[in-house]
Amino acid sequence: MKLIKLIGLAMTSLILIAGCSQAKKEFTYEKTNKTIDHIHGLGIKDSNLYIATHTGLMKHDGENWYATTGNNHDYMGFSMTKEGFYSSGHPMEGSDLKNPLGLIKSTDDGKTLDKLAFYGESDFHYLTAGFESNAIYVINQEPNSELKTGMYYTLDEGKTWESSKFSGIESDSIGNISAHPKKDKIIAVSTKDGLYLSKDYGNNFDLITDPFMVPAVLTLDDSIIYSTLDGKGVHLFSQNLNDETPTEISIPDLSANNPIMFVTANHENPDQMAIITYANDIFITKDKGENWTTIAKEGKLE
């Protein structure tokens, strides 16, 4: 399998691998006003927005921000599911966990972490899981004890892995990957040269947009939400999985220097969405873009 150069989008900044000291208290979510720095993923579950940073998880309940009091790890490849989340990354400073974390899972909002595969071996920056299927895809950038470089998927939470051919993607820079919430064969990959879709476990991909930069992507039941950056500026689109005609979603006024890097939606109520920009501006909507609320500006919580 040909592994393309995973340099991320040109707009993407270097992610610093760091941690912070853990408070000596019981794990919970407490109200916070801290500034968000590096964001590595997001998801919506039970109408709450969760954000993974390199200093732990944060949550917004529609009114207030909360941060975890423990397990403040550098979560990478964060992917929310109906049961909880899958992730990878690095343990916080002072933790007795091995570095890197490999593939981990939590079903209690991060209070406990199940070590599923490659614990102490791999840090998956590109990781996605089906919201209901729990099919997990990763792009492995460094060989480990079992996997070479390339795209792989597992349907049993890391017990066994299958290699994807990753054929058809004509780009040297990936933004995000997104697994279909229910159909384990479907996965989308955003690149600086367009959005690609596979319906056969990542073996063969087709370009389903014009070849412009697509930083962010989210796969829903029957559609794909993705952001673009081209000569016309920053945009957000919804496109049916079986139709190449996109529908534009209204978004706040954003400059070309501040594209949408992450997008998520409530799988049980897709009208509830959230977007995060390059400058760490965070917006939420309850009506699929008719009205947006700013909940962070340049990482400063509102």
Side-chain angles (χ1 to χ4, degrees):
M1 185 192 86
K2 178 183 177 183
L3 179 64
I4 67 176
K5 187 178 180 182
L6 298 170
I7 61 174
L9 297 176
M11 299 296 299
T12 306
S13 61
L14 178 65
I15 295 175
L16 299 175
I17 297 173
C20 69
S21 60
Q22 180 180 13
K24 300 293 186 179
K25 59 175 70 176
E26 182 181 355
F27 180 94
T28 187
Y29 282 78
E30 290 186 343
K31 286 186 179 181
T32 183
N33 60 358
K34 75 175 186 179
T35 299
I36 298 176
D37 192 356
H38 299 284
I39 297 173
H40 303 158
L42 76 170
I44 296 176
K45 185 171 74 76
D46 300 328
S47 297
N48 293 313
L49 172 65
Y50 290 82
I51 293 177
T53 77
H54 77 170
T55 55
L57 297 178
M58 297 184 65
K59 179 174 69 173
H60 192 275
D61 65 0
E63 295 184 2
N64 298 301
W65 279 102
Y66 301 84
T68 52
T69 59
N71 282 345
N72 296 315
H73 306 305
D74 179 13
Y75 291 104
M76 305 293 295
F78 178 85
S79 188
M80 183 68 72
T81 68
K82 192 172 185 177
E83 296 178 351
F85 68 82
Y86 296 98
S87 192
S88 190
H90 304 272
M92 58 178 284
E93 183 179 336
S95 171
D96 58 1
L97 294 175
K98 292 182 180 180
N99 185 20
L101 295 173
L103 174 62
I104 56 174
K105 175 185 179 181
S106 179
T107 57
D108 52 12
D109 291 348
K111 180 178 181 179
T112 59
L113 304 174
D114 296 327
K115 308 174 192 69
L116 300 180
F118 309 119
Y119 177 55
E121 291 188 62
S122 294
D123 171 25
F124 299 115
H125 288 204
Y126 294 92
L127 186 158
T128 181
F131 188 78
E132 293 189 36
S133 73
N134 290 328
I136 302 168
Y137 286 82
V138 302
I139 295 179
N140 191 37
Q141 296 173 254
E142 297 290 339
N144 59 35
S145 61
E146 184 177 344
L147 309 182
K148 299 178 181 179
T149 56
M151 174 175 275
Y152 293 84
Y153 66 93
T154 175
L155 305 180
D156 55 13
E157 296 193 315
K159 295 180 179 66
T160 59
W161 295 84
E162 298 291 336
S163 174
S164 300
K165 293 180 181 179
F166 209 61
S167 176
I169 294 184
E170 299 296 331
S171 181
D172 64 359
S173 177
I174 286 178
N176 286 288
I177 61 177
S178 178
H180 190 277
K182 296 178 181 177
K183 300 176 182 179
D184 52 26
K185 292 182 178 181
I186 298 178
I187 181 171
V189 175
S190 68
T191 77
K192 73 177 180 62
D193 301 293
L195 178 62
Y196 290 84
L197 182 67
S198 172
K199 297 183 179 181
D200 61 358
Y201 293 108
N203 289 307
N204 299 283
F205 285 88
D206 293 315
L207 180 66
I208 64 171
T209 66
D210 291 333
F212 39 61
M213 183 178 288
V214 179
V217 62
L218 173 72
T219 308
L220 299 174
D221 280 358
D222 56 5
S223 64
I224 300 179
I225 308 295
Y226 60 92
S227 66
T228 65
L229 176 63
D230 56 22
K232 299 178 181 180
V234 179
H235 298 274
L236 189 67
F237 292 98
S238 174
Q239 186 166 320
N240 191 282
L241 284 171
N242 299 310
D243 184 0
E244 296 182 0
T245 304
T247 300
E248 186 160 6
I249 299 172
S250 296
I251 59 172
D253 185 26
L254 298 172
S255 73
N257 294 323
N258 192 27
I260 297 170
M261 306 302 293
F262 296 99
V263 59
T264 192
N266 186 339
H267 286 276
E268 297 174 347
N269 176 21
D271 286 350
Q272 182 187 9
M273 303 172 59
I275 55 176
I276 299 177
T277 72
Y278 175 77
N280 289 336
D281 298 333
I282 306 177
F283 305 92
I284 57 174
T285 178
K286 296 180 180 179
D287 49 21
K288 202 172 183 179
E290 292 296 323
N291 298 278
W292 290 92
T293 300
T294 304
I295 59 173
K297 187 67 175 178
E298 295 183 349
K300 297 179 180 179
L301 306 184
E302 297 190 359

